[in-house]
Amino acid sequence: MIEESAGKLQLYLKLIEYKRSLGTTQWSVFSLFATVSQAILVFSLQQQSIKLGIALRILCLGTFWLGFLLYNRYRMINETVAEYLRNLEGDLQVDFETRLDKKRSETSPSTRAILIGSGLLYTVFVIVASIIM
């Protein structure tokens, strides 16, 4: 019985580390795509050709939203790991992940909602910049 609990605790700790690494990867990927998107936008604003500028702005929006989709994919994997951790917590009599969920639900808005909102504002900005230029 003690060995089984020790094994579950080891699994729990490894999953916590895996969840942390997923979060790091999730943000690294999104940051890379958002940075590239902004670089493309700046480059597009310097173009003399209207058609090339618009094509580059479409590319910049596609790059941003692709980064968000990848972020969201990693987030879903992370949530699956968190759910498994919560199930393990019942057996181990710990409540780390459960407490995190409770704290997250008390605060608002979610990071995902903030990214969607900022992405929509970014999209509107790019469209307005395309109209003005």
Side-chain angles (χ1 to χ4, degrees), residues 80-118:
T80 302
V81 173
E83 182 180 337
Y84 191 75
L85 284 169
R86 283 189 296 276
N87 291 336
L88 276 176
E89 285 179 353
D91 296 340
L92 296 172
Q93 298 176 342
V94 294
D95 62 351
F96 178 71
E97 195 64 37
T98 306
R99 284 182 188 231
L100 279 178
D101 285 345
K102 186 181 273 188
K103 284 288 184 190
R104 264 185 244 145
S105 67
E106 292 172 2
T107 61
S108 53
S110 71
T111 305
R112 184 172 179 261
I114 292 170
L115 288 177
I116 290 172
S118 62

Side-chain angles (χ1 to χ4, degrees), residues 17-34:
E17 180 60 28
Y18 178 65
K19 186 175 182 292
R20 187 200 60 78
S21 71
L22 276 173
T24 301
T25 302
Q26 168 184 355
W27 281 106
S28 296
V29 167
F30 178 74
S31 296
L32 174 69
F33 277 82

Side-chain angles (χ1 to χ4, degrees), residues 11 18 22 29 37 51 55-56 60-62 71 87 100 120 128:
L11 175 63
Y18 178 65
L22 276 173
V29 167
S37 171
K51 290 180 182 179
L56 286 170
C60 105
L61 288 175
Y71 163 88
N87 291 336
L100 279 178
L120 292 174
V128 168

